[in-house]
C-alpha cells in the first residue's frame, strides 16, 4: 500500500468518524429541543390549569359590581365581549326579566353572609346544593339582590358562566415516520357548533398545511 492509498483510507475513516459525531450531535440536539419543548409545555399547561381553577372559584360581588363589565373583565379575566354579555344578562336577571332555574333556601343573619356562605359551599362542592350550583363552568358569581321586584323574589343569585371564545390556537409536536414537525393551528369559532381552522406544519422534510370546517 503506497502513501497515497494510506492517506485516502485515513481520510475516509476520519470523515466517517466526523460524520458519525455530527449525526450523534444532531440527534442529541433534537432530543434536547424536544425535551425542552415538553418541559416548557408542561409548565405552561400547569400554569394555565392553575389559572383556570382559580377563575372557576365562586366569587361574591355586589349588585353594582356584577353589572359592571369592567369589574367582570378584571376580576374574571374576560374579554370585553364576554364581560359585556355577562353584565347584560345579570342585569336582566336582577330585574326579573330572566328567572332562575333552581331555588334553594339557606339560613343566615344577613344576605351578605348568605352570599358568602353559598360561595364557600359551591367551592367546597357541597352535595346538598342543587347540581346546577356546583356544576363546573368557567366562572361562578354569587351576588346579593338589593333591588327586588315581584318578578325577582330572591335575595341571593348564583350565576354560572361559560365564556364564548371567538379565536383559539394550539401548537404541539408531530412525527410521521422519521419526519418530525411542529403543528400550529388557528381556529375561528362562528358559533357553538361551527368553526373553521387552519393548521400549518413547520419543519420536517417538507412543510404542509390543512384547513378544516368543524
Amino acid at each position: 500500500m503506497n502513501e497515497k492509498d494510506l492517506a485516502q483510507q485515513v481520510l475516509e475513516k476520519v470523515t466517517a468518524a466526523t460524520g458519525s459525531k455530527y449525526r450523534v450531535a444532531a440527534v442529541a440536539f433534537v432530543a434536547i429541543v424536544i425535551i425542552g419543548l415538553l418541559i416548557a409545555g408542561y409548565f405552561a399547561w400547569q400554569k394555565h390549569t392553575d389559572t383556570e381553577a382559580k377563575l372557576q372559584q365562586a366569587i361574591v360581588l355586589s349588585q353594582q359590581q356584577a353589572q359592571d363589565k369592567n369589574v367582570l373583565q378584571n376580576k374574571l379575566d374576560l374579554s370585553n365581549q364576554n364581560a359585556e354579555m355577562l353584565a347584560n344578562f345579570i342585569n336582566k336577571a336582577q330585574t326579573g326579566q330572566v328567572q332562575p332555574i333552581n331555588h334553594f333556601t339557606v339560613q343566615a343573619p344577613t344576605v351578605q353572609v348568605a352570599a358568602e356562605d353559598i360561595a364557600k359551599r359551591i367551592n367546597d362542592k357541597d352535595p346538598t346544593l342543587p347540581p346546577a350550583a356546583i356544576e363546573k363552568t368557567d366562572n361562578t358569581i354569587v351576588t346579593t339582590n338589593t333591588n327586588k321586584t315581584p318578578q325577582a323574589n330572591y335575595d341571593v343569585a348564583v350565576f354560572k358562566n361559560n365564556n364564548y371564545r371567538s379565536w383559539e390556537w394550539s401548537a404541539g409536536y408531530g412525527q410521521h415516520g422519521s419526519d418530525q414537525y411542529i403543528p400550529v393551528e388557528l381556529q375561528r369559532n362562528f358559533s357553538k357548533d361551527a368553526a373553521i381552522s387552519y393548521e400549518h406544519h413547520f419543519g420536517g422534510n417538507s412543510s404542509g398545511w390543512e384547513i378544516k370546517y368543524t
Side-chain angles (χ1 to χ4, degrees):
M1 179 180 296
N2 56 36
E3 293 180 355
K4 182 178 179 180
D5 293 335
L6 180 60
Q8 183 65 30
Q9 283 191 4
V10 171
L11 179 61
E12 290 175 355
K13 290 182 179 180
V14 170
T15 303
T18 303
S20 178
K21 289 180 180 179
Y22 280 134
R23 284 194 295 271
V24 170
V27 171
F29 175 75
V30 172
I32 291 172
V33 170
I34 292 173
I35 293 172
L37 288 174
L38 291 175
I39 292 174
Y42 169 79
F43 283 109
W45 174 252
Q46 189 65 45
K47 182 179 180 181
H48 170 76
T49 301
D50 293 342
T51 301
E52 289 294 305
K54 183 178 180 180
L55 292 174
Q56 288 167 3
Q57 293 286 298
I59 64 171
V60 179
L61 298 179
S62 68
Q63 181 176 338
Q64 291 72 27
Q65 288 177 320
Q67 295 182 38
D68 188 328
K69 72 173 185 178
N70 293 326
V71 172
L72 297 176
Q73 192 170 1
N74 292 325
K75 285 188 172 292
L76 302 178
D77 193 26
L78 302 180
S79 67
N80 182 70
Q81 179 187 15
N82 285 338
E84 187 170 0
M85 288 192 298
L86 180 56
N88 290 336
F89 181 84
I90 290 177
N91 177 64
K92 290 181 180 179
Q94 291 180 332
T95 55
Q97 299 177 56
V98 177
Q99 293 301 304
I101 61 173
N102 287 101
H103 299 82
F104 59 95
T105 302
V106 297
Q107 299 295 325
T110 66
V111 291
Q112 182 64 31
V113 172
E116 293 172 356
D117 176 60
I118 291 172
K120 182 179 184 303
R121 290 170 62 185
I122 289 174
N123 291 334
D124 292 339
K125 305 297 182 184
D126 187 344
T128 64
L129 294 177
I134 59 176
E135 177 186 2
K136 182 179 178 181
T137 54
D138 290 333
N139 311 115
T140 299
I141 300 170
V142 181
T143 180
T144 56
N145 183 19
T146 58
N147 187 29
K148 291 195 300 179
T149 67
Q151 294 76 30
N153 56 350
Y154 50 88
D155 295 315
V156 176
V158 177
F159 297 95
K160 308 292 290 188
N161 176 53
N162 280 313
N163 299 315
Y164 176 76
R165 297 171 177 83
S166 298
W167 291 92
E168 297 181 46
W169 69 273
S170 62
Y173 168 78
Q175 183 167 342
H176 185 267
S178 60
D179 191 18
Q180 301 167 340
Y181 58 92
I182 297 176
V184 177
E185 181 177 12
L186 181 67
Q187 178 169 306
R188 175 67 165 92
N189 301 321
F190 296 96
S191 66
K192 290 184 177 181
D193 55 0
I196 290 180
S197 63
Y198 172 80
E199 181 176 307
H200 195 93
H201 297 167
F202 295 93
N205 296 325
S206 60
S207 61
W209 60 273
E210 61 182 73
I211 187 167
K212 297 177 290 185
Y213 172 78
T214 303

